[in-house]
Amino acid sequence: MQDVIIRSATKADEPALGRYGAALMRTHHTLDPKRFILTARPEAGYGRFLVSQVDEPGCLVLVAERAGEVVGYAYAGLEPMDWMQLRAPCGFLHDVFVDPAERGQGIGERLVRESIAWLASKGQPRAVLWTAEGNDAAHRLFARLGFRRTMLEMALELERPAPGA
């Protein structure tokens, strides 16, 4: 795995970021299509969003690259205190995705570790993340890196009244 480098994303990475961001979106949507959105063209939207974060001072977008090809990414940011979530300021790890063909080689772990190091360098007291129910591989990775469970999101589909009722 020495041939994989982790680096800051650039605007030139937009197609790869879009492809992997869309894959992350599809993964979540597959796990729970009622909870997670799936847009008509997620590659374009997700790629555009992630490159818009590259130059933001409170954001980090990393890519894992092998032989000039992006094989994964991570997106993290600085979050202020949030009364609704009862959460002090923190670093938030929003996304981690590794190409399925590249998994099991420690790339995701390297992306997370570098994101955590960046958050720590910004003075954050903790890193927080959300991970989808059913994404057991991600749960194992995050637990191995020392993350602990703190919340459980639950969803209830609300029935809509029939038209004219």
Side-chain angles (χ1 to χ4, degrees), residues 36-104:
F36 296 103
I37 64 168
L38 182 60
T39 62
R41 293 180 30 234
E43 290 81 2
Y46 223 118
R48 189 171 45 252
F49 169 72
L50 287 170
V51 297
S52 79
Q53 302 301 291
V54 166
D55 293 325
E56 291 295 319
C59 294
L60 175 71
V61 183
L62 296 174
V63 295
E65 184 180 275
R66 180 194 307 278
E69 295 294 322
V70 173
V71 297
Y73 82 99
Y75 167 48
L78 308 179
E79 296 290 327
M81 182 173 79
D82 187 322
W83 284 98
M84 290 299 296
Q85 293 187 32
L86 305 175
R87 190 193 69 224
C90 68
F92 205 98
L93 186 56
H94 297 287
D95 293 357
V96 178
F97 189 86
V98 175
D99 188 297
E102 300 286 338
R103 292 181 184 162

Side-chain angles (χ1 to χ4, degrees), residues 1-7 20 62-67 69-74 96-115 141-142 144-145:
M1 191 185 57
Q2 268 98 6
D3 59 335
V4 173
I5 63 165
I6 307 296
R7 63 170 175 80
Y20 290 134
L62 296 174
V63 295
E65 184 180 275
R66 180 194 307 278
E69 295 294 322
V70 173
V71 297
Y73 82 99
V96 178
F97 189 86
V98 175
D99 188 297
E102 300 286 338
R103 292 181 184 162
Q105 301 177 52
I107 297 169
E109 181 172 335
R110 287 182 59 199
L111 285 164
V112 173
R113 286 187 186 280
E114 294 217 17
S115 297
L141 168 63
F142 300 137
R144 189 170 64 251
L145 292 174

Side-chain angles (χ1 to χ4, degrees), residues 158-165:
L158 304 176
E159 292 185 39
R160 297 177 187 233

Side-chain angles (χ1 to χ4, degrees), residues 112-136:
V112 173
R113 286 187 186 280
E114 294 217 17
S115 297
I116 291 169
W118 181 82
L119 294 169
S121 79
K122 299 296 182 187
Q124 297 307 297
R126 77 193 43 80
V128 176
L129 59 80
W130 293 332
T131 179
E133 186 69 28
N135 191 349
D136 297 332

